[in-house]
Amino acid sequence: MNKRIEWIDVAKGITIILVMIGHYVSYGSQIRNFIFAFHMPLFFILSGYTFKFLDDKKEILKKTKKEIIRFLLPAFLLTIIGQITIKLLWNWHNLSYKASFFLALKRIIWGNGVDYDWKGIHFYALGMPWFLITLIVAKLVCGYLGKDKLKLAFILMFFGVFIGNQIQLIWNLDLIMVSILYIYIGNLLKEKKEIYEKHDKLFLISSILIFSYMLSQGKYIEMATRSYPDGILSIIESVAGSVVVIECSKYICLTTKLKKILKKVGEISLIILLVHYFEFFTGIYVFFSLDKIIIKVILNILIAFLIRKVIVWLKFLSPNNLEKRIRYK
C-alpha cells in the first residue's frame, strides 16, 4: 500500500477549501482573482507529483477505468439528479422532467465548465466536473506518452492555449493539452526533488515575486473560461502560485496542528468537490437559507466525510470482504 505524502494532502485540503470560497465570492473580487490564479493548475501539478508512469498499457487503462467509476460516473449521475432537483425546487426554465433529463445529458456530452455560444447554438455548462474529465483524460494521455516528455508537453500546451483562445472544444480537449504540461511539471518536481529542496528558498521567493507582480496587474489564468491574458506568462504565474501553496503546505506539516485537519480534508478533496458541485448546481443551500460562506464550506466538508464513512462501511460489508474475514478467523 502506497504511503500518502502529508504535504500533498495538506495542499489539496487548502486548495479545495479555496475552490469553494472562489465559487462563493463575487465575480471580479480580489479574493476570487487570487484563488483562480493557481487553484486548478495546482491540482494538476499535485496529481503529477503522485503520478506513476506504467509500462503496461492494459494497467493504464485499468487505472483509468477505476477513476472513471470512482469519480466521473458519480459526477454524471449528480448532474442528472441535480438537473431534476432544480426543476423540482425552482421549476428551472419551465422545463418538463423529461426535458430536464435530456438537458443533463447534453451537459455531460458537452463536458465543459462554462456555458458557450457557437454559431447560434447554446451549450449549457457541465460545471465543476470539467476538472475530473480533464484530469482523468490528461493522466491517460501522459501514461501513453511516457516519462521525460516535458518538451512535448510544452508544445501541446501552446496548441491548447491557441485553440482555447479561438474555440472551446467538446470535453475540454484544448484544456487537456494545457493540463498535460502541469502534470509533467508536477512529475518533474518529484524527479528533481533534491535539486528543488536544495534551492527551495530561492524558488519560493522567486515564485512570490512573480505571482504577486502578475496578480497586481490584474492578470491571471482561468482555465474553465480559457482565459490566458499573457499566454505563457499566465502559465508561469499559475505555477509560481502553486509553488507558494506547496511550500506553505510543507511549513504547516512541520509546525502546526492545523495539519491534521487539512490532511483529512485533502484526502477526500474529490468527494468534497462532488458535494460542492451538487449544492452549487442546485442552489439547495439557498433553499435552506444558508448564505454564510464559512457555513457552506464546513457543511460541504462534513457531508463529504459522512459519504466517505458510508463508502468505507459498504466496502467493509461487501461479500468479498466478508468472505475474507470468515476465511481468516
Side-chain angles (χ1 to χ4, degrees):
M1 189 173 179
N2 293 327
K3 187 179 179 181
R4 300 187 71 95
I5 302 171
E6 284 190 334
W7 68 262
I8 286 184
D9 282 330
V10 169
K12 286 181 178 179
I14 292 170
T15 309
I16 194 62
I17 291 170
L18 291 177
V19 165
M20 290 185 280
I21 294 172
H23 289 148
Y24 293 136
V25 297
S26 59
Y27 185 86
S29 67
Q30 287 299 316
I31 294 175
R32 185 184 184 279
N33 294 351
F34 166 77
I35 293 170
F36 273 70
F38 67 86
H39 72 324
M40 286 295 102
L42 176 55
F43 266 129
F44 290 113
I45 290 171
L46 295 174
S47 294
Y49 196 96
T50 57
F51 185 74
K52 289 186 177 180
F53 288 94
L54 303 171
D55 295 326
D56 189 343
K57 303 303 179 185
K58 288 183 180 179
E59 195 63 31
I60 294 171
L61 288 174
K62 183 180 177 182
K63 196 173 180 181
T64 301
K65 181 181 176 182
K66 188 176 179 181
E67 289 188 334
I68 290 172
I69 293 170
R70 287 180 64 195
F71 299 113
L72 212 50
L73 291 184
F76 293 162
L77 181 61
L78 285 175
T79 301
I80 295 171
I81 296 172
Q83 191 69 62
I84 301 298
T85 301
I86 60 176
K87 157 63 183 173
L88 180 66
L89 293 180
W90 320 113
N91 194 25
W92 193 78
H93 284 208
N94 295 314
L95 294 178
S96 66
Y97 286 105
K98 181 180 178 181
S100 295
F101 173 78
F102 281 106
L103 178 56
L105 293 183
K106 289 178 182 178
R107 290 182 186 275
I108 292 167
I109 292 168
W110 172 231
N112 275 277
V114 293
D115 285 4
Y116 185 63
D117 291 293
W118 181 73
K119 294 188 176 182
I121 304 171
H122 184 76
F123 297 89
Y124 283 100
L126 173 61
M128 296 170 210
W130 76 263
F131 166 73
L132 296 172
I133 292 173
T134 307
L135 177 63
I136 291 170
V137 177
K139 285 166 70 175
L140 175 64
V141 174
C142 289
Y144 273 90
L145 289 177
K147 295 185 71 172
D148 304 321
K149 293 294 190 298
L150 189 61
K151 291 180 181 178
L152 177 59
F154 267 106
I155 295 170
L156 289 173
M157 180 272 294
F158 279 113
F159 273 110
V161 170
F162 175 77
I163 294 169
N165 282 328
Q166 311 303 315
I167 187 173
Q168 292 188 22
L169 298 181
I170 189 170
W171 262 43
N172 311 292
L173 293 177
D174 56 305
L175 288 181
I176 288 167
M177 287 188 268
V178 177
S179 303
I180 287 169
L181 175 63
Y182 288 124
I183 291 173
Y184 274 103
I185 288 174
N187 193 257
L188 182 67
L189 288 176
K190 179 177 68 176
E191 294 296 314
K192 305 296 182 182
K193 180 182 175 182
E194 290 183 5
I195 297 174
Y196 175 80
E197 290 181 348
K198 185 178 179 180
H199 304 286
D200 57 351
K201 289 184 176 59
L202 177 61
F203 277 109
L204 177 59
I205 293 170
S206 301
S207 296
I208 291 172
L209 292 175
I210 292 169
F211 185 73
S212 300
Y213 174 76
M214 291 292 292
L215 201 59
S216 70
Q217 301 302 303
K219 296 179 178 181
Y220 59 94
I221 193 173
E222 190 167 337
M223 293 186 73
T225 61
R226 277 71 167 180
S227 176
Y228 315 98
D230 281 331
I232 184 64
L233 291 179
S234 298
I235 302 293
I236 293 171
E237 175 192 11
S238 64
V239 174
S242 298
V243 168
V244 174
V245 176
I246 286 170
E247 289 306 311
C248 287
S249 301
K250 290 179 179 179
Y251 180 77
I252 288 171
C253 285
L254 291 172
T255 61
T256 73
K257 293 181 180 179
L258 187 60
K259 175 187 77 173
K260 290 182 179 179
I261 298 172
L262 290 174
K263 183 175 178 293
K264 288 186 178 297
V265 171
E267 288 174 358
I268 60 166
S269 58
L270 292 184
I271 299 177
I272 294 171
L273 180 68
L274 291 175
V275 172
H276 173 51
Y277 165 57
F278 182 78
E279 65 86 6
F280 194 78
F281 180 32
T282 61
I284 198 166
Y285 285 175
V286 175
F287 183 75
F288 291 112
S289 301
L290 292 176
D291 57 351
K292 299 293 184 182
I293 290 177
I294 188 65
I295 295 175
K296 291 179 180 180
V297 169
I298 292 172
L299 194 54
N300 283 337
I301 293 171
L302 291 177
I303 292 171
F305 271 116
L306 180 60
I307 291 171
R308 176 60 179 159
K309 288 283 186 185
V310 171
I311 292 171
V312 172
W313 181 69
L314 290 174
K315 283 183 178 179
F316 180 78
L317 294 179
S318 68
N320 287 338
N321 281 333
L322 283 172
E323 186 181 335
K324 287 177 183 178
R325 287 196 297 275
I326 293 169
R327 189 184 305 163
Y328 290 107
K329 272 188 176 181

